[in-house]
């Protein structure tokens, strides 16, 4: 089964609008299907890093959106992977009353238990909310023990604004730390190739990873992917398998510094 640029852009538009595609499992009428798109402005996720991975051969294609950040409602740092393509093994959560089918997979970087351990215990109520204790030396990220830098000036040098209210000791926020890692050691909070391939065919060739690109708000529904240069170029790369077609004319703006997130 061959594919073309039009089909790729149509599938991206469906995800952009949260509509499941024809490639989803049929399931039962009561099943719920989620089709997520990259969102750098989510109120519940303080975004740190993001990338786009492209895979294709003569009959199959996949776009994988990767985003890392601090989930302020779940008190965890996570990677979110969103899969769009024609050969995805969609994650399914099965329950007696219905199944939940999605194109998203989440990978825990720092779990709630570790955040509870490192959270500041001294001072007024807000001083103990999502701030890392002054005496914390190490933090566990996945299975790695990482040295913690508690010097707020090193964060501000990277453009990370430390909370200026109810924070007299200039303690580092949970989200600040994830952004600091993205700026200083991005591999530490990035998905591995094995993790990305969990829901796609093991033998599909990887074409490229795009680290910097022009992003348009996922909430601007007047400007779907099919009308954006970024995704038009991606569709061309997937159909031609030629990565030299990545020649964007628009300035990259996908850094977390350009988008407000995690504010709810």
């Amino acid at each position: 089964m061959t594919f073309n640029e039009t089909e790729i852009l149509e599938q991206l538009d469906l995800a952009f609008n949260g509509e499941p595609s024809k490639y989803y499992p049929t399931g039962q009428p009561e099943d719920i299907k989620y089709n997520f798109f990259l969102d750098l402005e989510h109120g519940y996720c303080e975004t740190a890093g993001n990338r786009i991975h492209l895979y294709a051969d003569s009959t199959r294609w996949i776009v994988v959106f990767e985003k890392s950040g601090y989930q302020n409602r779940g008190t965890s740092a996570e990677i979110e992977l969103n899969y769009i393509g024609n050969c995805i093994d969609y994650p399914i959560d099965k329950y007696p009353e219905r199944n939940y089918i999605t194109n998203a997979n989440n990978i825990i970087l720092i779990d709630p238990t570790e955040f509870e351990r490192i959270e500041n215990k001294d001072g007024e109520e807000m001083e103990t909310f999502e701030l890392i204790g002054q005496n914390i030396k190490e933090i566990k990220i996945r299975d790695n023990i990482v040295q913690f830098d508690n010097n707020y000036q090193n964060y501000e040098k990277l453009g990370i604004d430390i909370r200026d209210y109810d924070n007299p000791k200039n303690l580092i926020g949970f989200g600040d730390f994830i952004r600091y890692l993205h700026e200083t050691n991005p591999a530490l909070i990035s998905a591995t190739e094995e993790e990305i391939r969990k829901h796609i065919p093991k033998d599909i060739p990887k074409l490229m990873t795009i680290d910097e690109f022009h992003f348009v708000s996922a909430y601007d529904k007047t400007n779907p992917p099919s009308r954006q240069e970024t995704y038009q170029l991606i569709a061309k790369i997937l159909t031609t398998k030629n990565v030299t077609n990545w020649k964007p004319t628009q300035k990259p703006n996908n850094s977390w510094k350009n988008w407000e997130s995690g504010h709810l």
Side-chain angles (χ1 to χ4, degrees), residues 50-262:
N50 63 91
R51 307 187 290 173
I52 303 175
H53 308 275
L54 305 182
Y55 301 81
D57 58 18
S58 60
T59 60
R60 302 172 297 177
W61 66 272
I62 299 169
V63 176
V64 183
F65 294 118
E66 175 184 350
K67 180 178 74 171
S68 60
Y70 171 63
Q71 302 285 340
N72 59 18
R73 284 298 182 270
T75 318
S76 65
E78 300 179 10
I79 296 168
E80 179 181 338
L81 300 173
N82 300 139
Y83 296 87
I84 300 167
N86 67 357
C87 56
I88 296 162
D89 178 18
Y90 290 96
I92 302 176
D93 289 329
K94 297 182 178 180
Y95 294 90
E97 63 277 8
R98 67 177 60 87
N99 294 331
Y100 293 84
I101 306 168
T102 181
N103 70 327
N105 182 45
N106 288 62
I107 301 161
I108 301 295
L109 295 169
I110 304 176
D111 63 27
T113 302
E114 180 68 354
F115 273 122
E116 183 180 0
R117 182 187 72 82
I118 67 176
E119 192 165 38
N120 179 45
K121 308 296 192 296
D122 302 319
E124 301 295 327
E125 181 180 1
M126 286 304 294
E127 291 179 63
T128 63
F129 180 67
E130 295 187 334
L131 294 174
I132 301 173
Q134 207 166 25
N135 297 322
I136 296 298
K137 304 297 183 186
E138 298 176 330
I139 296 176
K140 184 179 180 182
I141 303 172
R142 302 198 212 197
D143 294 323
N144 301 307
I145 302 299
V146 176
Q147 296 298 309
F148 171 58
D149 181 357
N150 66 1
N151 185 342
Y152 75 94
Q153 293 177 328
N154 291 336
Y155 290 72
E156 292 183 337
K157 289 175 185 175
L158 297 170
I160 300 169
D161 295 326
I162 303 303
R163 198 171 86 192
D164 58 2
Y165 60 91
D166 296 320
N167 188 16
K169 298 177 184 176
N170 291 313
L171 299 178
I172 307 304
F174 290 175
D176 302 333
F177 179 59
I178 307 305
R179 287 177 170 174
Y180 177 81
L181 292 175
H182 171 68
E183 295 296 323
T184 59
N185 190 2
L188 197 61
I189 61 167
S190 297
T192 65
E193 190 62 22
E194 182 180 3
E195 288 169 333
I196 296 169
R197 286 183 176 271
K198 182 178 179 181
H199 294 285
I200 66 177
K202 298 294 186 286
D203 62 340
I204 189 169
K206 184 166 195 173
L207 302 181
M208 68 184 302
T209 295
I210 302 172
D211 294 303
E212 295 185 332
F213 53 92
H214 185 80
F215 180 76
V216 173
S217 173
Y219 301 95
D220 179 5
K221 297 306 181 184
T222 65
N223 201 359
S226 58
R227 297 177 59 181
Q228 298 179 37
E229 179 190 68
T230 294
Y231 303 107
Q232 292 168 356
L233 292 175
I234 283 173
K236 181 171 289 189
I237 291 167
L238 291 170
T239 53
T240 62
K241 268 69 74 178
N242 186 350
V243 299
T244 63
N245 282 318
W246 180 249
K247 296 177 181 177
T249 63
Q250 295 174 307
K251 185 178 179 181
N253 67 346
N254 61 307
S255 167
W256 60 266
K257 298 176 183 179
N258 297 319
W259 304 92
E260 183 181 2
S261 62

Side-chain angles (χ1 to χ4, degrees), residues 28-45:
Q28 301 299 318
E30 62 271 18
D31 290 347
I32 295 177
K33 300 176 181 179
Y34 297 108
N35 199 8
F36 293 106
F37 196 82
L38 181 64
D39 182 358
L40 302 184
E41 302 171 278
H42 201 291
Y44 293 163
C45 177

